[in-house]
Amino acid sequence: MRKKIVAGNWKMNKSLQDGVTLAKEVEAAVSGINNGVDVIIAPPFIHLTEVKKVISKVKLSAQNCASEASGAYTGEVAADMLKSAGVGYVIIGHSERRSYYKESDEILNKKVKLALANGLTPIFCIGELLPEREANKHFDVVKDQITKGLFDLSETDFKNIVLAYEPVWAIGTGKTASAAQAQEIHAFIRSLIVAKYGKAVAEDTSILYGGSCNDKNAKELFANPDVDGGLIGGAALKADQFAVIVSSF
Ligand code: 13P
């Protein structure tokens, strides 16, 4: 049975002190929820070690990692450093990294491999832009992203991937994909995994939805058979709202 996951991507928000406070609030708010959902938070890099000290049920993710293992790469944080700090997951390929920092499929593929080699679980993001959706190209776009980013992995490695479908037009816009739109493309993504790795692997792969998912719409989105949880931005910065999303299964 694949895991149900709700992950909060804090993006570039919160001072260290406010981040630790939020992490404590999230831990308290979700500690009583026993619906089998894995709860993950992804604070900025410098928060990770302090946040790690105040969470136990909640798991820890980074928002990015370097595409090289170590050395002269000023400003970068390596996958093995994250592992040594007690981090379990890393978001790779978020649309904000793809668009603002020009991270190509090739770079993201290198990051995925380094994350896996260091025992981190990648939360690999895919999703189309608005013009691509309007041109009915969203299936081709996600197929291309997943093929170039992930499909040269061995089956053993692929089993450690969590996918997040985030339509770029829904991120931070208040415009959510409808439950039907989410189900349609999640089922398509799962069919790609069936074709590449077989039905058993595909059935075990968690595919999260992200993009203006909140305490009001999570229940309807998560009710779809191929939506295994959410990658939450804005609503992850409020512990009470985030907890409602966690309890939406
Ligand atoms: P919002 O929930 O703010 O739309 O952000 C989604 C997202 O990008 C999560 O990674």
Side-chain angles (χ1 to χ4, degrees):
M1 263 283 285
R2 56 187 178 257
K3 285 187 181 139
K4 305 283 187 198
I5 298 170
V6 173
N9 175 10
W10 293 6
K11 309 193 180 184
M12 196 173 71
N13 291 294
K14 303 284 175 190
S15 67
L16 175 58
Q17 293 75 18
D18 290 348
V20 170
T21 301
L22 175 59
K24 283 182 190 162
E25 289 170 357
V26 170
E27 176 71 28
V30 304
S31 63
I33 304 172
N34 292 310
N35 56 358
V37 175
D38 281 356
V39 183
I40 302 169
I41 53 175
F45 283 133
I46 64 151
H47 298 45
L48 292 168
T49 51
E50 289 302 312
V51 163
K52 173 86 185 160
K53 295 176 189 164
V54 301
I55 55 176
S56 59
K57 179 189 173 90
V58 176
K59 300 172 187 198
L60 194 57
S61 177
Q63 297 176 17
N64 183 25
C65 69
S67 59
E68 303 296 333
S70 68
Y73 300 98
T74 303
E76 291 293 295
V77 176
D80 75 332
M81 296 173 188
L82 296 173
K83 187 67 184 176
S84 73
V87 173
Y89 298 79
V90 56
I91 298 170
I92 295 177
H94 193 281
S95 64
E96 288 148 19
R97 302 293 320 171
R98 290 178 187 263
S99 64
Y100 304 150
Y101 302 99
K102 308 286 178 272
E103 293 189 359
S104 64
D105 295 306
E106 292 70 27
I107 286 174
L108 299 175
N109 179 259
K110 285 170 75 175
K111 292 186 178 202
V112 165
K113 287 175 181 163
L114 279 166
L116 289 166
N118 286 285
L120 300 171
T121 300
I123 301 173
F124 190 78
C125 303
I126 55 179
E128 81 285 355
L129 306 168
L130 183 59
E132 294 167 338
R133 165 72 60 167
E134 286 171 345
N136 210 31
K137 289 194 176 132
H138 44 295
F139 296 109
D140 293 341
V141 170
V142 298
K143 183 175 182 185
D144 197 53
Q145 289 170 335
I146 196 171
T147 302
K148 291 180 177 155
L150 299 177
F151 277 1
D152 67 341
L153 297 178
S154 69
E155 181 181 321
T156 311
D157 274 345
F158 189 86
K159 283 180 177 171
N160 292 316
I161 299 287
V162 172
L163 276 163
Y165 167 69
E166 298 204 309
V168 180
W169 47 271
I171 297 177
T173 58
K175 228 189 204 182
T176 322
S178 69
Q181 283 174 321
Q183 171 56 26
E184 180 186 41
I185 196 144
H186 281 230
F188 171 73
I189 293 164
R190 202 177 303 284
S191 77
L192 298 174
I193 306 169
V194 171
K196 175 73 191 171
Y197 295 104
K199 199 167 164 52
V201 174
E203 282 300 319
D204 276 353
T205 303
S206 299
I207 308 175
L208 315 184
Y209 169 80
S212 298
C213 181
N214 58 37
D215 52 336
K216 308 280 184 308
N217 58 30
K219 211 179 190 109
E220 196 186 349
L221 286 161
F222 296 172
N224 290 293
D226 288 295
V227 179
D228 306 309
L231 182 55
I232 317 300
L237 297 172
K238 302 256 165 52
D240 52 344
Q241 287 182 23
F242 189 63
V244 171
I245 298 171
V246 172
S247 60
S248 294
F249 279 102

